Amino acid sequence: FRYMTISGWNRERLQERGLSAELVPPGIDLGTFRPLGDVRRRDDMLLALGRTNPLKNLPLTIDAWQALGSDGARPELCLFGIEPELGPALGARYVERPSDEGVNRLLNEAAVFVQTSTHEGFCLPPLEAMATGGAVVCTDAHGNRDFCTDGVNCLIPEPTVESVSGALGRLLDDPELRERLGRAGIETAADFA
């Protein structure tokens, strides 16, 4: 057998079992996930994948968002995916089943994309956010180590409410940092076209 896998973390786990694998990461369509000149990035909007799958660790995202202040003081949280009932239950806007073009538009609108997964095989959404020039906050989810570099193209806080909320607050308060991370993210995404 010849083995392949999508991330360095996966390859290391296979090596622990005595298997050698080629690294073949997923690619993204830079014709779809890209900056849009006709969309203005909002300073008051966070975007996240709205899924209850335990690996996505949505409760950490919600708790960190809520720690940013009271209802009127914190930014809007927009979620997207296939579980629209989450929006009203969490006090967030929910975009149900957006097309790839719709996701790209949301990524272009958001000040920050946040993903607090406990584990991912690769984790495409933060890379897609980077492709739009958006700022990203994500926890170390193993499969995102191949393209996420803390302080270079994203912020990688510890998986605690205080740390994630602090990273979000830092980016919301610092447009220049958001822009710098966004530029580096576009360069990173180009390697995965």
Side-chain angles (χ1 to χ4, degrees), residues 84-134:
E85 65 279 4
L86 293 175
L90 299 171
R93 176 165 62 107
Y94 200 100
V95 178
E96 184 178 3
R97 298 179 191 276
S99 64
D100 285 349
E101 291 77 12
V103 172
N104 185 57
R105 183 162 285 276
L106 290 170
L107 291 167
N108 271 270
E109 289 176 15
V112 181
F113 176 80
V114 57
Q115 181 106 22
T116 56
S117 298
T118 58
H119 172 75
E120 295 280 350
F122 184 81
C123 203
L124 277 170
L127 187 59
E128 292 167 345
M130 287 180 187
T132 72

Side-chain angles (χ1 to χ4, degrees), residues 27-96:
I28 60 171
D29 179 359
L30 296 181
T32 300
F33 295 100
R34 60 188 171 80
L36 295 175
D38 65 333
V39 176
R40 187 182 66 81
R41 213 168 272 288
R42 291 178 44 193
D43 291 335
D44 64 343
M45 177 185 161
L46 301 178
L47 181 66
L49 190 60
R51 293 195 49 206
T52 55
N53 178 318
L55 291 177
K56 302 300 179 191
N57 202 9
L58 183 60
L60 177 55
T61 296
I62 299 303
D63 291 346
W65 167 63
Q66 290 175 340
L68 292 172
S70 61
D71 282 344
R74 68 177 172 250
E76 174 189 36
L77 176 62
C78 179
L79 302 172
F80 67 95
I82 59 171
E83 300 175 67
E85 65 279 4
L86 293 175
L90 299 171
R93 176 165 62 107
Y94 200 100
V95 178
E96 184 178 3

